[in-house]
Amino acid sequence: MPRSRFEKHLSPVPKIDWAMAAVLERAMVLHLSRKDLAQMACVSYETMRDYIRKSPWDWPVDVRERLFKSLGIEIKRTIEGKEI
């Protein structure tokens, strides 16, 4: 297969951050601004501007939980095992 000039931009492809995707999708569908998200999370607008550039897993736990609850996002933790 011939090489594409865009190939260098595609590898390595980072994994999708589903928590960030869920936050951004809910904000878009509900027409929420960063200011609205900041109010829901009980943080300042400037702080939310910093947080929204990072993964929600890097946010303080209380901020993440408040925002997820306000947006109707449920966190489920799972453990997977592989055969040995």
Side-chain angles (χ1 to χ4, degrees):
M1 179 185 282
R3 291 186 165 222
S4 165
R5 65 182 178 155
F6 301 111
E7 193 172 284
K8 65 182 177 184
H9 299 290
L10 298 177
S11 59
V13 177
K15 292 183 178 182
I16 295 173
D17 183 348
W18 292 108
M20 176 62 81
V23 169
L24 294 176
E25 190 271 341
R26 288 289 169 95
M28 184 183 71
V29 169
L30 298 173
H31 305 286
L32 299 172
S33 68
R34 300 293 181 257
K35 288 182 181 180
D36 297 329
L37 295 176
Q39 287 178 342
M40 293 170 139
C42 300
V43 296
S44 69
Y45 171 66
E46 291 78 17
T47 302
M48 181 52 70
R49 286 182 58 205
D50 290 336
Y51 286 165
I52 205 68
R53 292 185 182 106
K54 303 176 193 172
S55 172
W57 299 117
D58 296 333
W59 301 354
V61 175
D62 58 330
V63 172
R64 180 178 61 233
E65 288 178 353
R66 274 195 302 267
L67 188 60
F68 279 22
K69 185 176 181 181
S70 297
L71 294 174
I73 299 170
E74 184 179 343
I75 300 172
K76 291 189 177 184
R77 297 183 188 265
T78 60
I79 298 174
E80 293 182 18
K82 295 185 179 181
E83 289 187 33
I84 299 176

